[in-house]
Amino acid sequence: MLVQVKAWPSGHRYLTLPGGRQEIGETMQECLRRECREEIGVAPEIGDVLHVADVLRKRRGARRFLVETLFACAVPESYAPRMGSKPDKRQIATEWVDPTEAGAAFFPRYDLALSRADAPVYLGRLNCAPA
């Protein structure tokens, strides 16, 4: 699985999936392609929806509620992991990882669903607080 490697100011590294905020007038797929070009330097082929989750993000006393949609995607076989033209502010790398081995490094813990063939589409609420 292709992931972003990010680091908190404390140096703690964690993994996230590429993607981001939808702009007015964009479809979810257009948003995902744009965000991937910006963050990982490639626009993927987008497949079916894999999972949907309610994500509660907590940072410095503030809370933000998001609904996140995970799609199955593919990149060209020739793609080599790299940073895109506008990486996320905490992004330090882009890497291929095995979600069954990366475990607790995922933020939020999407690895728990992505490594199980029987995981439900709707994952419910995932709490997301910085380390």
Side-chain angles (χ1 to χ4, degrees):
M1 175 174 306
L2 189 60
V3 299
Q4 294 172 292
V5 180
K6 296 183 179 180
W8 292 109
S10 66
H12 175 77
R13 292 168 48 111
Y14 60 100
L15 306 176
T16 65
L17 300 175
R21 292 187 188 165
Q22 213 172 338
E23 293 180 358
I24 294 173
E26 275 185 324
T27 66
M28 283 192 269
Q29 291 89 343
E30 289 167 341
C31 173
L32 181 55
R33 280 188 205 94
R34 176 184 51 77
E35 288 283 345
C36 285
R37 277 192 305 273
E38 291 173 1
E39 297 171 356
I40 62 172
V42 67
E45 290 295 322
I46 301 172
D48 293 333
V49 170
L50 295 175
H51 303 288
V52 176
D54 300 322
V55 178
L56 179 62
R57 294 195 184 268
K58 300 174 188 175
R59 290 188 185 150
R60 290 179 238 112
R63 296 182 337 163
R64 202 168 86 194
F65 179 77
L66 307 164
V67 176
E68 295 190 356
T69 306
L70 281 62
F71 288 89
C73 294
V75 296
E77 220 173 281
S78 62
Y79 173 78
R82 63 185 175 275
M83 303 273 276
S85 60
K86 292 169 67 177
D88 282 351
K89 66 181 177 180
R90 289 191 172 85
Q91 184 178 350
I92 59 173
T94 302
E95 295 178 359
W96 289 107
V97 300
D98 179 341
T100 61
E101 294 176 9
F106 270 89
F107 184 75
R109 293 294 310 271
Y110 285 124
D111 61 299
L112 298 173
L114 294 168
S115 60
R116 288 183 35 214
D118 64 342
V121 172
Y122 176 61
L123 301 176
R125 187 173 80 190
L126 301 176
N127 289 311
C128 202

